[in-house]
Amino acid sequence: MYTPFENLPGESKIWIYQSNRKFSDAEFAEIESDLRIFIDSWAAHGKSLEASFQLKYNRFIILAVDQDIQNATGCSIDASVQFIQNLEKKYEVDLLDKMNVTFKLGEHVAHKTLIDFKKMAKDKAVTEHTIVFNNLVNTIEEWNENWEVPAGDSWHSRFF
């Protein structure tokens, strides 16, 4: 059951998927529509999940579930991954590769392989002050506080 993202409690579980390319506004509008349909039918053991999503920077899909109402279980998580895999095929993007880094260069959101990001850090093209997206956060509260952070304050700090 869809619930507005801002109405979910801070301890709600989240999953972040980043695209290896920027989606067009038209693609993001289609994805938003598809997500509404998916969220409205998303269930665990036959019980509807109180869930939501956020779309950010034409690159990120964030799914959220209020686990105080109903836990997302293996089958429901599998259904969400299948939904994401279907988006990957439809839009010819990579949303599941965790070995990539997305970060800000001014107002631009850049996406690089981990190897390229390490090289950029070595070459000082990015610094510990560069804003990175820490996709390891697990809850809405962590997302609000620790998703967009200086690289020096995240797991990326090991490259500096």
Side-chain angles (χ1 to χ4, degrees):
M1 170 179 63
Y2 176 79
T3 300
F5 195 85
E6 60 276 5
N7 292 353
L8 289 174
E11 60 274 1
S12 296
K13 171 75 176 136
I14 64 167
W15 295 267
I16 301 172
Y17 302 96
Q18 68 183 6
S19 175
N20 62 323
R21 71 164 172 84
K22 185 176 180 180
F23 288 105
S24 70
D25 290 341
E27 287 173 326
F28 236 31
E30 287 177 13
I31 291 169
E32 181 174 12
S33 176
D34 291 345
L35 276 164
R36 285 274 186 155
I37 293 165
F38 172 73
I39 294 288
D40 278 336
S41 65
W42 199 14
H45 300 295
K47 186 172 180 188
S48 189
L49 293 171
E50 189 163 320
S52 195
F53 64 90
Q54 279 281 337
L55 300 174
K56 299 293 276 186
Y57 300 110
N58 285 60
R59 263 196 201 272
F60 295 95
I61 299 168
I62 300 106
L63 296 179
V65 172
D66 182 350
Q67 298 212 111
D68 286 341
I69 304 292
Q70 174 68 35
N71 281 332
T73 59
C75 290
S76 60
I77 293 169
D78 288 349
S80 68
V81 171
Q82 183 176 12
F83 174 81
I84 295 296
Q85 288 172 328
N86 290 340
L87 292 178
E88 286 183 316
K89 289 177 191 155
K90 181 176 180 179
Y91 296 102
E92 298 178 355
V93 296
D94 185 357
L95 293 163
L96 294 168
D97 188 348
K98 303 295 185 193
M99 296 304 292
N100 296 309
V101 179
T102 305
F103 55 98
K104 288 185 175 178
L105 287 175
E107 291 302 309
H108 176 71
V109 175
H111 180 85
K112 299 288 182 190
T113 66
L114 194 56
I115 291 167
D116 288 343
F117 186 81
K118 280 185 193 178
K119 184 175 180 341
M120 289 178 75
K122 182 180 177 191
D123 296 342
K124 306 224 184 298
V126 293
T127 71
E128 61 273 0
H129 302 291
T130 300
I131 300 299
V132 294
F133 296 93
N134 177 11
N135 296 325
L136 299 178
V137 296
N138 290 305
T139 66
I140 289 176
E141 182 175 52
E142 289 176 7
W143 181 74
N144 285 329
E145 295 173 7
N146 298 310
W147 183 53
E148 293 184 50
V149 294
D153 294 340
S154 76
W155 66 267
H156 304 85
S157 64
R158 63 183 159 191
F159 303 129
F160 303 99

